[in-house]
Amino acid sequence: MAYSQPFPLAQPITKATQQTFAPDLAVRLICPECRDPNPNIVEEFSSGDLVCGTCGLVLGDRVVDTRSEWRTFANDEGDDPSRVGAASDPLMDGIEQLDTVISFQDGGSGMARELQRAASRSQSSRAERNLLTAFRDISSWCDQFSLPKTIADIAKQLYKRSDEEKLFRGKQPDAVIAACIFIACRQAHVPRTFREICNLTHVTKKTLGQCYKALEQAFNLTPGASATHANLAPSTGPESLVVRYCNHLDLPPKVQSYCSDIIVAAREHGIADGRSPVSIAGGAIYFTCCLLNTPKTLKEIGDVAGVSEGTIRLVYRLYYAERTKIVKQKWIDEGKVHMSYLKDEGPR
């Protein structure tokens, strides 16, 4: 380290010639054995040691590997050996999420069978394995349904609570999972109908309804139980279904706006009361398409909504009979809609 020479006393120190000195903050690690001024220090992450590359003296231990974890993304190499499993799931409460598979090839010594028995005894219990399987099914079905991860997390929480409280002893796990996904969709304001959940999980509508009612009562999600819980499970109204159906039908945004207003006006006048939200949404879309002269057939709407053409036609006839009440006069005056485009769908 270089030291500065003091200034002569005869020369005054002015502000212009004054120099600022700072300490050397560079910390250099030198091997005490070889004392090389230019040391070759090697970090061995495999053993976690800090070793001198010249003499091999271990200078430190427990070195943390801070390097990035790179992936090969090579499909022909099988599983990536650099990965050690997915991120830990807080819902598992410390349950081991990694599996150990014992090979069957032991050269005929019978050692593989003994190792498999020992591994099965050391593995998690049957309840933990069932919970892991249910969580995998929830994630898989939510991915197939293009549902966000938040819905999968809510469904997992509901399933874990029901499993801990033993609410569905003897019930099919698929039915409980389907009910949890349906309630999670309602809580996250992502409407899905019973029919869509049944088609996804292959659970009958009756079984799904029974599990859903049991979960509602157990978790206090019934309407009117409390203001907080009532807001957690809003009903799947036709307005929320119209947006998704119109997107699947490639209809312009104005159709969604007009259709929502028509549904609200029909509800105020008590038109089509008692019909399912899916039927009302399908009939309202067909009525709006005819009103705006946007051609969409009954079959196209029925395939998207999952209802028959007769059901859509029935709702349309109810709207057509009260068309003067649900179609705003302002739309007609501005020339946005034409009542002449509506056609009388009589009984067929």
Side-chain angles (χ1 to χ4, degrees):
M1 180 176 181
Y3 296 93
S4 60
Q5 298 293 334
F7 291 101
L9 298 177
Q11 297 178 358
I13 300 177
T14 61
K15 187 175 182 180
T17 60
Q18 185 177 5
Q19 300 182 10
T20 303
F21 297 91
D24 186 8
L25 300 180
V27 178
R28 301 179 64 188
L29 183 63
I30 298 178
C31 177
E33 185 70 24
C34 56
R35 299 185 180 277
D36 188 357
N38 296 317
N40 180 22
I41 307 300
V42 181
E43 295 180 349
E44 295 184 354
F45 294 110
S46 58
S47 59
D49 296 333
L50 198 65
V51 182
C52 176
T54 304
C55 63
L57 180 67
V58 178
L59 305 178
D61 58 353
R62 298 184 180 180
V63 178
V64 179
D65 188 358
T66 59
R67 299 174 299 176
S68 300
E69 184 183 6
W70 299 103
R71 293 193 63 184
T72 58
F73 297 99
N75 295 329
D76 54 347
E77 296 181 5
D79 295 334
D80 190 353
S82 64
R83 289 286 176 176
V84 293
S88 60
D89 193 348
L91 294 174
M92 302 307 298
D93 288 339
I95 298 177
E96 184 64 34
Q97 304 175 43
L98 301 178
D99 296 333
T100 302
V101 180
I102 308 299
S103 175
F104 289 95
Q105 300 178 0
D106 56 358
S109 62
M111 186 63 67
R113 184 179 297 275
E114 297 298 330
L115 290 175
Q116 289 172 1
R117 290 178 179 175
S120 62
R121 288 192 297 266
S122 62
Q123 285 177 352
S124 58
S125 63
R126 181 179 179 182
E128 295 176 352
R129 291 196 298 269
N130 293 338
L131 189 63
L132 285 172
T133 304
F135 280 6
R136 293 193 191 101
D137 292 341
I138 290 175
S139 300
S140 175
W141 282 342
C142 288
D143 291 341
Q144 294 178 24
F145 219 179
S146 300
L147 295 174
K149 186 178 181 297
T150 54
I151 293 181
D153 294 339
I154 295 174
K156 289 177 182 179
Q157 292 177 3
L158 293 173
Y159 184 88
K160 185 178 181 181
R161 287 182 57 187
S162 63
D163 183 68
E164 290 175 350
E165 298 177 11
K166 308 297 181 182
L167 298 178
F168 299 100
R169 286 190 175 182
K171 287 287 186 181
Q172 298 179 2
D174 293 348
V176 182
I177 292 174
C180 293
I181 293 176
F182 182 76
I183 293 178
C185 290
R186 298 184 68 180
Q187 291 186 0
H189 302 281
V190 181
R192 291 296 185 271
T193 61
F194 261 41
R195 186 186 299 272
E196 291 173 323
I197 299 295
C198 291
N199 293 336
L200 171 69
T201 59
H202 303 288
V203 177
T204 61
K205 188 175 181 180
K206 179 180 179 181
T207 307
L208 176 59
Q210 293 174 351
C211 294
Y212 168 70
K213 289 297 182 182
L215 284 174
E216 263 195 339
Q217 296 176 2
F219 299 151
N220 200 17
L221 298 176
T222 53
S226 64
T228 304
H229 291 91
N231 293 330
L232 290 177
S235 60
T236 305
E239 297 93 341
S240 57
L241 298 175
V242 160
V243 178
R244 190 155 49 91
Y245 292 166
C246 289
N247 290 333
H248 286 307
L249 292 168
D250 294 330
L251 293 172
K254 65 178 183 179
V255 176
Q256 302 178 13
S257 177
Y258 282 95
C259 190
S260 299
D261 292 342
I262 289 173
I263 291 175
V264 172
R267 184 185 299 115
E268 292 176 354
H269 290 86
I271 303 172
D273 284 350
R275 298 288 172 181
S276 65
V278 181
S279 304
I280 294 176
I285 291 175
Y286 184 65
F287 181 86
T288 308
C289 289
C290 294
L291 193 65
L292 297 174
N293 196 21
T294 304
K296 284 296 176 182
T297 62
L298 289 170
K299 186 177 185 306
E300 292 176 331
I301 299 175
D303 292 341
V304 171
V307 294
S308 63
E309 299 179 17
T311 304
I312 298 176
R313 187 181 291 111
L314 178 60
V315 177
Y316 172 84
R317 288 204 301 264
L318 296 175
Y319 281 5
Y320 180 81
E322 304 291 343
R323 57 189 179 277
T324 57
K325 297 181 180 179
I326 62 178
V327 178
K328 296 181 180 180
Q329 187 64 33
K330 181 178 65 174
W331 299 345
I332 301 175
D333 297 338
E334 294 176 355
K336 296 180 179 179
V337 299
H338 299 278
M339 299 289 280
S340 59
Y341 292 150
L342 296 174
K343 50 187 176 180
D344 186 8
E345 292 279 351
R348 297 185 181 181

